[in-house]
Amino acid sequence: MAYYFDEPSRTFNEYLLVPGYSSKDCIPDEVNMSTPLVKHRRGKKPPIRINIPMVSAIMQAVSDDRMAIALAKEGGISFIFASQSVEDQAAMIRRVKDHKAGFVKSDSNVRPDQTLSDIITLKEKMGHSTVAVTEDGTPEGRIVGIVTSRDYRPSRMAPDMRVSEFMTPLADLVYGEDGISLSAANDILWERKLNALPIIDKQGRLTHFVFRKDYDSHKENPFELLDRQKRYLVGAGVNTRDYRERVPALVGAGADVLCIDSSEGFTEWQKDALSWVRAEYGDKVKIGAGNVVDRDGFLFLAEAGADFVKVGIGGGSICITREQKGIGRGQASAVRDVALARREYYEKTGEYVPICSDGGIVYDYHMTVALAMGADFLMLGRYFARFDESPTARLNIGGNYVKEYWGEGSNRARNWQRYDMGGEAGLSFEEGVDSYVPYAGPLKDSVAQSLGKIRSTMCSCGVTNIRDLQEKTKLTLVSSTSIVEGGAHDVILKDPGQGPR
């Protein structure tokens, strides 16, 4: 007969953290949120650590180059989505790696015959106030001018006014020549009191921008995640179909870490992909795998060579795998079981394989519960989809701003490779939905608030780093009655728009 687990399939919402002794030195400012991203031997430093335990999901609606840059500034890492052409994904990786070098490819460009309305629309879409005007409207076209927010006043100008009428023309621009050093470019920015310096080659084509705001980036973002060349770290998703073409392209573009993107990782397909990467690159290329929900799945992928293992099936807010296929497990039960297997593997081999909890996060405190249960870092989709930096449209529906958010298993994404079972190509039925999430503004503000809650909770548990949180924290199951007790109850809540009179 089938095997039955002894305990029910539990979620993070069914657990609470129990406070521990806190010394006077246990304060949020002293909490170290860094965590290993990839495997390492006992007593050795991990090849890659991230400065906060948050990574963005391998999803069209979440992780592109803009998200990767914004999250790396805060100390986390994005995995650029794989459900696109190899060339497009590699181009996103290159844009991230080029960005921190100080020379930024322009992603806001217009032709001189376009209009003020086009400028405003582009600014709303991209969030950038500096727009390059090139002859053909491409990032590498011959530059004829630039437009900044100081060049126009929407209230005083007609929407159909041509860009050529109000742009700052090339003849009036201060620019740097292609080949200029970053130090020299920054000197020009400060000496001429500029916010942006276009870099132009001998043919008059725009190659990059250097921005004043990037000069102070490190001071404003003390946890930013950088490689040895001071470039942002970035990850990328791959699948088990075209990895022989995709992996070399992504590695060549500069991807720091890869991850096999699949709803189910306990498969021969993933083992074959991992074996190929190890045969071609040895341990130089870091690649995670998943998803799994129990001991056997973890041990399979760890022994196959995964640098980290992703945990979770069916727990994402847009995932309907459980109701479609009856496959999955409560995220708390899955993380706990896999963490025990990770300990077993570590004691046996001396190799520590980090685990990533993917899905099941509804409230910020669930993040701390997941980490306490053994997760080294968290992969978040809905959480990051809400921000300005996600690649989806912001819409106004019923007077409320929302962002579009859809699953990789939806017909909209058409990412059949993620649900690949080795048959013919195609998405036979959906395992994800198309939805909206409440708009939450810029990433930086919300991430800072969420991390503040995690740090405060860790101090309440008497720990100042994630390893101690995993080893020393106490957790308790909660009843349905205590869940009600934990929120506001037996009172009449005031309407936030109505104060005392």
Side-chain angles (χ1 to χ4, degrees):
M1 61 182 291
Y3 176 82
Y4 289 84
F5 286 91
D6 292 334
E7 288 195 356
S9 182
R10 299 196 181 278
T11 68
F12 295 137
N13 210 45
E14 295 177 77
Y15 288 89
L16 285 176
L17 296 149
V18 176
Y21 169 74
S22 300
S23 69
K24 292 181 179 179
D25 296 326
C26 193
I27 58 175
D29 286 346
E30 295 299 319
V31 172
N32 181 353
M33 298 294 289
S34 68
T35 187
L37 183 70
V38 297
K39 67 184 179 184
H40 55 282
R41 302 291 301 177
R42 182 185 286 116
K44 301 291 185 180
K45 292 183 178 180
I48 305 176
R49 293 184 70 92
I50 51 179
N51 295 328
I52 63 172
M54 302 169 76
V55 306
S56 65
I58 311 169
M59 301 176 70
Q60 293 176 8
V62 179
S63 297
D64 66 352
D65 47 304
R66 285 188 69 207
M67 176 60 70
I69 291 167
L71 185 52
K73 287 180 179 179
E74 304 307 314
I77 193 167
S78 290
F79 286 84
I80 303 293
F81 68 93
S83 50
Q84 59 180 320
S85 72
V86 173
E87 295 76 18
D88 287 347
Q89 190 182 18
M92 286 187 179
I93 297 293
R94 283 192 291 270
R95 287 198 289 272
V96 178
K97 301 306 287 188
D98 288 345
H99 185 92
K100 187 51 196 175
F103 295 95
V104 182
K105 287 282 188 181
S106 177
D107 59 2
S108 295
N109 312 280
V110 296
R111 301 184 310 275
D113 61 341
Q114 289 184 258
T115 66
L116 174 61
S117 179
D118 293 323
I119 292 286
I120 294 172
T121 300
L122 188 60
K123 183 178 180 181
E124 290 177 349
K125 178 182 178 182
M126 305 303 297
H128 299 161
S129 59
T130 299
V131 178
V133 186
T134 59
E135 287 182 344
D136 58 2
T138 66
E140 298 84 13
R142 289 176 60 86
I143 189 167
V144 295
I146 64 171
V147 174
T148 71
S149 56
R150 294 178 296 183
D151 291 315
Y152 61 89
R153 295 179 67 183
S155 61
R156 300 286 185 90
M157 297 163 61
D160 60 354
M161 179 179 286
R162 295 192 181 277
V163 170
S164 58
E165 298 179 52
F166 60 86
M167 70 182 186
T168 300
L170 177 62
D172 296 336
L173 285 179
V174 177
Y175 60 87
E177 296 183 355
D178 192 30
I180 189 174
S181 69
L182 181 59
S183 176
N186 280 323
D187 287 343
I188 295 174
L189 282 172
W190 287 95
E191 290 168 3
R192 303 299 294 268
K193 300 180 179 180
L194 304 173
N195 290 323
L197 181 72
I199 307 299
I200 302 173
D201 67 15
K202 292 180 180 179
Q203 286 72 44
R205 294 176 304 205
L206 176 68
T207 63
H208 297 88
F209 273 111
V210 177
F211 293 100
R212 176 193 285 260
K213 61 182 175 61
D214 290 337
Y215 184 85
D216 292 325
S217 177
H218 184 66
K219 292 182 180 179
E220 296 174 0
N221 303 287
F223 299 111
E224 61 184 355
L225 193 62
L226 307 174
D227 64 17
R228 292 179 180 178
Q229 286 76 46
K230 305 299 182 183
R231 303 173 301 175
Y232 288 129
L233 263 65
V234 60
V238 297
N239 60 63
T240 56
R241 284 273 178 162
D242 65 3
Y243 56 86
R244 290 178 178 85
E245 296 77 38
R246 193 172 292 270
V247 169
L250 300 179
V251 171
D256 298 283
V257 60
L258 307 175
C259 183
I260 300 173
D261 180 33
S262 175
S263 66
E264 297 174 48
F266 197 178
T267 71
E268 188 174 2
W269 306 105
Q270 293 221 2
K271 183 179 180 181
D272 287 348
L274 292 168
S275 297
W276 183 86
V277 169
R278 293 293 170 243
E280 292 291 319
Y281 298 97
D283 287 328
K284 291 182 180 179
V285 169
K286 306 303 179 184
I287 180 168
N291 287 22
V292 299
V293 293
D294 67 356
R295 171 185 180 275
D296 293 343
F298 171 84
L299 294 177
F300 173 81
L301 291 178
E303 290 165 0
D307 282 293
F308 64 86
V309 173
K310 203 142 64 80
V311 180
I313 293 177
S317 60
I318 41 67
C319 184
I320 54 173
T321 294
R322 295 180 191 175
E323 72 178 52
Q324 290 281 59
K325 295 170 62 176
I327 294 291
R329 195 176 186 191
Q331 191 67 8
S333 297
V335 169
R336 180 183 179 186
D337 200 2
V338 170
L340 289 171
R342 191 257 311 281
R343 179 191 295 173
E344 173 188 338
Y345 185 79
Y346 179 63
E347 291 174 350
K348 177 182 177 182
T349 67
E351 190 168 64
Y352 185 89
V353 180
I355 58 178
C356 167
S357 177
D358 178 17
I361 302 294
V362 180
Y363 304 110
D364 283 351
Y365 85 86
H366 290 169
M367 298 182 191
T368 319
V369 171
L371 295 170
M373 286 185 163
D376 294 280
F377 55 96
L378 316 169
M379 180 167 280
L380 305 165
R382 179 194 60 84
Y383 180 88
F384 286 116
R386 305 172 301 149
F387 302 136
D388 287 324
E389 294 83 357
S390 75
T392 63
R394 186 184 71 171
L395 307 173
N396 189 313
I397 297 180
N400 296 311
Y401 281 106
V402 297
K403 293 272 283 186
E404 293 183 294
Y405 181 45
W406 59 91
E408 288 297 289
S410 67
N411 270 316
R412 180 170 185 174
R414 303 195 64 79
N415 186 10
W416 60 267
Q417 295 97 331
R418 191 174 196 274
Y419 302 85
D420 189 11
M421 297 298 287
E424 294 183 1
L427 197 63
S428 56
F429 57 89
E430 291 186 283
E431 294 188 45
V433 300
D434 198 346
S435 64
Y436 302 112
V437 289
Y439 169 65
L443 176 148
K444 186 178 184 68
D445 295 342
S446 290
V447 167
Q449 184 180 67
S450 296
L451 291 173
K453 292 178 184 179
I454 296 173
R455 290 189 176 99
S456 179
T457 304
M458 288 173 65
C459 288
S460 295
C461 294
V463 298
T464 56
N465 62 73
I466 292 173
R467 179 56 58 85
D468 283 348
L469 179 71
Q470 295 169 343
E471 295 179 352
K472 299 179 181 180
T473 300
K474 296 176 287 186
L475 293 113
T476 180
L477 271 170
V478 295
S479 67
S480 57
T481 305
S482 64
I483 291 175
V484 174
E485 180 186 65
H489 61 91
D490 301 315
V491 296
I492 300 173
L493 295 177
K494 293 180 179 179
D495 184 333
Q498 296 181 351
R501 295 183 179 179

